[in-house]
Amino acid sequence: MGGVASIPTDPSRKVQVISAGYSRTGTVSMSMALAKLVDGPVLHGGTQILTRDDDYCSTWIKAYEAREAGDKEQTLKLVRKATAGFVATADLPPSDFIPEMMELYPEAKVVLVRRDPVKWWNSIATLTGRTTPWWLSVIVAPFPGWRYIPAFASVYSRSTLRLAGLDAKNASPIELIEKGGPRKSPALYSNHLLTITCSQTF
């Protein structure tokens, strides 16, 4: 993570910690800390998407599509494939699949990293503004992995709003932070959840 994607070498290792905060809530710092604390490869979603191959990136896109189609078995199969061998996860896409992750790794601990909603919104808006222009798909098409960025931006947006029970017209940063992500299904991880606040990030 942090510019170099972790690659698992032992597929039998299981996810022990799930960092459930949205992007721009210190996910890289959390990944680096978990790599030392849990002693193994950590799946930082953003780094994986930017540096892995087409097969890996398309696995997550297919997982989103399977979930939207209501195919739970296929969704779990794809999430397991994408997370096999990692000891911890952070950032999207894994944080978009908390119920599925908890079903696959019921002993995993969930760390929900929160951030001031307005500061988070300002930060994430800058990032999403760079991943949603209409011409981006043309520019990144020749590059493995990167060519999936526009598709990820689309499924992230739909998923985030769905998890929060909102639509694009009435979404607000406070509601996304309070209602989205792991807060949508607390019964799944009530005995596994640690909440911390991120006060210093960009």
Side-chain angles (χ1 to χ4, degrees):
M1 76 295 302
V4 179
S6 299
I7 307 295
T9 57
D10 181 0
S12 68
R13 298 195 71 178
K14 297 182 179 181
V15 173
Q16 300 175 47
V17 181
I18 301 167
S19 179
Y22 284 125
S23 299
R24 315 304 290 180
T25 58
T27 57
V28 171
S29 298
M30 177 63 73
S31 296
M32 296 176 71
L34 289 173
K36 293 184 177 295
L37 292 171
V38 192
D39 190 24
V42 176
L43 192 171
H44 179 262
T47 305
Q48 296 285 322
I49 291 166
L50 291 174
T51 58
R52 294 289 295 273
D53 56 19
D54 282 350
D55 179 65
Y56 185 81
C57 294
S58 66
T59 297
W60 280 113
I61 295 295
K62 291 174 183 176
Y64 276 105
E65 293 172 346
R67 186 172 65 181
E68 289 181 352
D71 190 338
K72 180 179 179 180
E73 181 179 355
Q74 182 67 359
T75 303
L76 290 172
K77 178 181 178 180
L78 290 163
V79 173
R80 183 188 298 276
K81 176 183 176 182
T83 57
F86 289 101
V87 297
T89 67
D91 200 13
L92 298 165
S95 61
D96 251 352
F97 289 85
I98 301 299
E100 293 82 4
M101 294 282 289
M102 290 305 300
E103 185 164 345
L104 291 170
Y105 308 107
E107 300 303 316
K109 303 299 182 183
V110 179
V111 181
L112 174 59
V113 183
R114 305 189 66 193
R115 185 181 179 187
D116 176 85
V118 175
K119 291 181 179 179
W120 170 77
W121 185 263
N122 291 337
S123 179
I124 200 68
T126 300
L127 178 63
T128 56
R130 297 170 181 169
T131 59
T132 54
W134 65 268
W135 44 262
L136 182 63
S137 59
V138 177
I139 300 298
V140 299
F143 303 101
W146 284 54
R147 61 175 60 107
Y148 285 93
I149 291 176
F152 273 115
S154 177
V155 294
Y156 288 164
S157 177
R158 293 199 304 271
S159 177
T160 298
L161 292 169
R162 180 186 65 81
L163 288 170
L166 303 169
D167 60 47
K169 294 181 180 179
N170 64 10
S172 75
I174 293 177
E175 288 179 308
L176 285 171
I177 287 288
E178 292 296 331
K179 297 180 179 180
R183 292 187 174 277
K184 195 64 178 175
S185 305
L188 288 171
Y189 43 78
S190 58
N191 295 326
H192 301 261
L193 181 65
L194 169 67
T195 301
I196 61 177
T197 300
C198 176
S199 59
Q200 297 294 330
T201 190
F202 298 99

